[in-house]
Amino acid sequence: MNLEKYILAVITTNKDKVAAGTGVFYCDSKQEMESVTANLEAILDGIAHGLSDELYVIVKH
Amino acid sequence: MTEFTLPIAFGIFTGTFSRLLMLRTDYRQYPTYLHGKIIHVALGFIASGLGAVFGPAIIQEEYTAITFLTVAASQFREVRNMERNTLTELDNYELVTRGKTYIEGIAIAFESRNYLVIFTSLVSTLAYLLFNIWIGIIVAIASMILSHYLMSGGKLKEIVDIEYVEPRFDGAGLYVDNIYIMNIGLPERQKEVLRYGMGFILKPKSFNARATIANLGQRQAILHDVSTALGVYRDSGTPALVPLAKRDLDDGRVGVFVLPQDRDIEKAIKVIGDVPTLENAIRMSTEKVGMKHES
């Protein structure tokens, strides 16, 4: 199956920002968030987009 | 040997020769060296054979023989299919794809080249038969020049002005000039993109050019050609490092963002300028009655 424009994962440091619905990864610091995002980007073969300082999403294009 | 043997041989020779002239493997590395070339020379040989027997058939009053030209037509449509299928299959494994419009353009070119071969061998055989070999040679050269003229399409630099612009980030958004390209979240990636990325602004010279470079296939062709000529900083599994071309909706300029391995601005501008304007992308909006625009 080919997914197009689909949010694969959400990485955030702010628990209030995201509800369930997709893979959500809570991180304690911005640094941790960036390293998790970099890893997930490579694993999921998606692009990490920054929505705000505390919220990244990984999207399959 | 009949009276027709030499003229037919002459026609086949000129036809095959003109196919060889039109067969160029350049930076696009297509047709592939050597096998891809052999296929096309062989098909050119068949085409010139078909063209060469046309004249003798007419002179012998074998008019039904003309119907074999329809066989030729379906044969070379098959060539187009073959090229399309091959290139589409291969495109899946390109780091920067050619895109369907470019592929279709190449496929059409291969089909039409065979018709030009038929034309060349047909007229040169006919000239040989009706006059003599010298007139035949002159006609052959003239039709080769005509073929060459017909085969050379336009270049992008004829319809746009190209300008280098350093790409920049505004938050997570990547911009070339004021054209938004994409959102890249990770600061690490952003650094990479700024280090290797180059931005170009294509400013259309006319209203028609504006519609032509808006075509997604044309834009993909630009990205593919730049990536082929200058290399690309990208691998599978790094979808964030992707060359993109986006359009300014206000004035039709196109912002091209590429990640070449050879970061030479002059060279890159030359490569972009030499990208063929794909005939499937060309728009002639101003040809529509009552639609004359000043731009």
Side-chain angles (χ1 to χ4, degrees), chain A residues 3-61:
Chain A
L3 295 177
E4 269 186 40
K5 303 273 183 205
Y6 188 81
I7 298 182
L8 300 169
V10 177
I11 307 101
T12 182
T13 51
N14 185 345
K15 293 195 183 193
D16 300 333
K17 290 276 184 190
V18 199
T22 181
V24 184
F25 297 79
Y26 298 115
C27 300
D28 295 328
S29 65
K30 194 165 180 340
Q31 223 169 1
E32 189 193 349
M33 182 169 71
E34 275 168 17
S35 82
V36 168
T37 308
N39 271 330
L40 282 174
E41 187 186 36
I43 295 165
L44 298 171
D45 213 355
I47 300 181
H49 295 298
L51 297 184
S52 71
D53 277 350
E54 49 189 19
L55 185 64
Y56 285 167
V57 290
I58 293 186
V59 180
K60 178 86 179 171
H61 285 277

Side-chain angles (χ1 to χ4, degrees), chain B:
Chain B
M1 282 244 297
T2 68
E3 55 183 314
F4 297 124
T5 314
L6 276 178
I8 289 176
F10 175 70
I12 291 178
F13 172 75
T14 53
T16 314
F17 185 68
S18 78
R19 184 69 190 93
L20 278 171
L21 283 184
M22 286 187 280
L23 193 65
R24 278 172 306 173
T25 299
D26 53 12
Y27 66 97
R28 282 166 277 210
Q29 189 48 35
Y30 200 83
T32 48
Y33 196 71
L34 172 70
H35 294 92
K37 279 195 168 179
I38 289 173
I39 292 172
H40 288 292
V41 173
L43 283 166
F45 179 77
I46 294 168
S48 54
L50 283 167
V53 293
F54 182 89
I58 294 266
I59 289 168
Q60 293 276 42
E61 299 188 353
E62 296 278 355
Y63 298 127
T64 47
I66 310 307
T67 51
F68 63 69
L69 283 180
T70 58
V71 180
S74 60
Q75 165 76 16
F76 295 120
R77 224 175 10 251
E78 206 50 49
V79 171
R80 178 161 150 197
N81 274 332
M82 175 188 84
E83 287 305 326
R84 182 195 297 125
N85 293 341
T86 317
L87 286 169
T88 310
E89 286 299 315
L90 294 178
D91 217 26
N92 295 330
Y93 293 98
E94 296 277 356
L95 283 176
V96 180
T97 57
R98 278 194 173 86
K100 288 202 159 53
T101 317
Y102 203 173
I103 289 176
E104 201 55 37
I106 295 172
I108 288 176
F110 276 112
E111 184 183 354
S112 65
R113 274 170 206 192
N114 279 303
Y115 295 132
L116 288 175
V117 166
I118 293 183
F119 170 75
T120 305
S121 67
L122 193 156
V123 291
S124 46
T125 312
L126 215 53
Y128 189 163
L129 281 171
L130 297 179
F131 306 100
N132 57 44
I133 187 163
W134 302 111
I135 303 279
I137 291 173
I138 292 168
V139 168
I141 292 173
S143 61
M144 279 179 210
I145 293 171
L146 181 71
S147 306
H148 190 77
Y149 172 73
L150 288 174
M151 280 327 295
S152 49
K155 298 251 167 71
L156 211 58
K157 63 183 162 210
E158 290 154 19
I159 61 166
V160 294
D161 291 317
I162 305 156
E163 194 187 322
Y164 173 77
V165 180
E166 189 83 38
R168 65 185 168 85
F169 274 99
D170 185 356
L174 174 65
Y175 287 82
V176 170
D177 202 20
N178 64 336
I179 301 169
Y180 176 77
I181 303 289
M182 70 188 300
N183 176 313
I184 294 181
L186 287 172
E188 213 179 299
R189 278 270 176 280
Q190 292 186 358
K191 266 184 234 155
E192 235 172 12
V193 160
L194 287 183
R195 190 171 346 127
Y196 292 99
M198 290 170 91
F200 296 92
I201 292 289
L202 311 185
K203 200 166 157 238
K205 290 181 185 171
S206 67
F207 191 79
N208 287 340
R210 191 188 285 202
T212 303
I213 59 167
N215 184 291
L216 292 172
Q218 180 66 58
R219 287 192 241 167
Q220 191 60 41
I222 297 169
L223 301 175
H224 175 82
D225 271 11
V226 174
S227 304
T228 313
L230 300 176
V232 60
Y233 185 77
R234 171 176 167 75
D235 195 8
S236 61
T238 58
L241 299 171
V242 58
L244 281 173
K246 297 279 179 195
R247 188 175 184 225
D248 186 334
L249 293 173
D250 286 331
D251 53 13
R253 290 177 311 147
V254 166
V256 177
F257 170 73
V258 284
L259 293 141
Q261 240 142 17
D262 182 357
R263 287 173 45 84
D264 185 326
I265 296 172
E266 292 296 311
K267 243 191 244 175
I269 289 180
K270 194 174 175 323
V271 171
I272 294 175
D274 282 341
V275 172
T277 44
L278 305 179
E279 51 183 287
N280 298 316
I282 295 172
R283 294 287 174 275
M284 294 289 182
S285 321
T286 51
E287 297 291 310
K288 179 103 173 82
V289 183
M291 288 281 286
K292 292 279 177 203
H293 283 266
E294 296 294 322
S295 179

